[in-house]
Amino acid sequence: TNIRMAKMSVETFENFGEIMETKTFGKPNIDLRQGGYLFLVNEDKWPTALENAEIQRSEGVDIRLLSVSDLETMLPETDLTGIVGGTVCPREGVLDPASVLNGYLHKVKEMGVTIINDEVVDIKMNGDKIVNVVCKSGDEYSAGAYVNAAGPWANLIGDMIGVEIPIKPLSHDLYVAKMPNVRQIQCLSGLDHHGISSDIQILTTQRLLQARRHSSTGFLLTGTTEEWSIQHSTFCIQDSGTSSCTIRA
């Protein structure tokens, strides 16, 4: 189900401008940059990566399996010690969430939807049926159908009606480096290899360290979702006008 939803999302984002075009605001630009979400995998997790790739392919996902030789060609400045392979899907990428949200808001407003800025604090029930939703302002609303679209707070909404939703927000550390010249993107771009775009958007190691370049501003963004120090990775910026980025998996 997750794979099918993800495929539908990609198709929606690829055509977002046409789908969400309005008379007032035109076609929204969500800054979609595709090129791949590259996973570097160690020996322990390689069997799982192969199983996942097989499942994804059975659902029509264009997932590529890469050897260490492939990775060395694509990522010449990356330390691949302990890595036995990688996986990447060329249609994956990054976008601007705020522009997506505004695109939806502008479209539904044009369709006659009323947007209410308030906070849900309680949900009144009659058996297993929702009677109405109580907001922080004191206003109450009822409807024929309700959608829990609270994102990382969806579990709080679920608690109000006794439904456990397995969503837990995670803290992230983010590190930003200003790179002195264009060589800063070599660790993420590399060459056009095996039909994969030379514009890899995100690189992820087995320790959940992620790195990606930000647009064309020359910034490298990296971070981790674990309680793990940045000391585990090495970033070198040379004063001679050249730069290198080593991501230690």
Side-chain angles (χ1 to χ4, degrees):
T1 301
N2 286 342
I3 295 174
R4 293 169 186 171
M5 290 178 63
K7 287 181 61 182
M8 292 176 62
S9 296
V10 171
E11 292 169 1
T12 298
F13 293 138
E14 287 177 338
N15 300 284
F16 198 82
E18 289 71 24
I19 296 173
M20 297 298 163
E21 183 177 8
T22 62
K23 295 179 181 179
T24 303
F25 296 97
K27 296 181 179 180
N29 177 12
I30 60 174
D31 192 23
L32 175 62
R33 287 170 281 142
Q34 294 170 289
Y37 194 118
L38 176 60
F39 286 85
L40 303 183
V41 188
N42 64 8
E43 186 173 1
D44 291 340
K45 295 186 177 180
W46 187 240
T48 301
L50 294 178
E51 291 177 10
N52 290 341
E54 184 176 351
I55 294 173
Q56 291 168 348
R57 282 174 174 170
S58 70
E59 293 291 340
V61 176
D62 181 18
I63 184 78
R64 315 286 179 86
L65 295 175
L66 304 175
S67 66
V68 173
S69 177
D70 295 332
L71 296 172
E72 288 174 344
T73 302
M74 296 173 64
L75 309 170
E77 296 186 348
T78 302
D79 182 356
L80 297 173
T81 302
I83 298 301
V84 300
T87 63
V88 65
C89 176
R91 290 179 70 191
E92 295 171 333
V94 295
L95 50 71
D96 177 20
S99 296
V100 172
L101 175 60
N102 286 329
Y104 277 117
L105 292 177
H106 294 157
K107 186 65 175 181
V108 297
K109 284 181 179 179
E110 185 177 79
M111 297 170 65
V113 172
T114 300
I115 306 297
I116 300 169
N117 294 313
D118 213 331
E119 178 183 351
V120 175
V121 295
D122 191 22
I123 299 177
K124 294 182 179 179
M125 304 285 294
N126 182 8
D128 60 354
K129 181 178 177 61
I130 296 177
V131 177
N132 54 20
V133 172
V134 181
C135 292
K136 190 173 183 178
S137 63
D139 294 335
E140 299 186 12
Y141 302 92
S142 60
Y146 301 82
V147 177
N148 183 351
W153 300 278
N155 60 327
L156 301 180
I157 300 296
D159 291 343
M160 297 179 187
I161 58 175
V163 175
E164 183 178 356
I165 299 176
I167 293 179
K168 180 181 178 181
L170 297 175
S171 60
H172 293 68
D173 293 321
L174 180 65
Y175 307 90
V176 181
K178 181 67 171 69
M179 311 302 278
N181 65 33
V182 295
R183 289 191 68 237
Q184 48 92 10
I185 67 172
Q186 281 190 338
C187 63
L188 298 183
S189 293
L191 304 175
D192 188 357
H193 195 63
H194 285 306
I196 299 172
S197 167
S198 60
D199 195 19
I200 294 292
Q201 292 297 332
I202 299 180
L203 183 148
T204 301
T205 74
Q206 67 229 33
R207 293 180 179 270
L208 298 183
L209 176 71
Q210 298 184 358
R212 70 179 177 91
R213 62 187 182 90
H214 182 265
S215 188
S216 58
T217 58
F219 281 95
L220 178 72
L221 282 72
T222 184
T224 175
T225 56
E226 291 184 338
E227 293 182 359
W228 182 60
S229 172
I230 191 61
Q231 294 176 357
H232 285 80
S233 62
T234 303
F235 297 89
C236 301
I237 304 176
Q238 302 174 1
D239 294 333
S240 62
T242 62
S243 64
S244 65
C245 168
T246 299
I247 300 174
R248 195 173 303 280

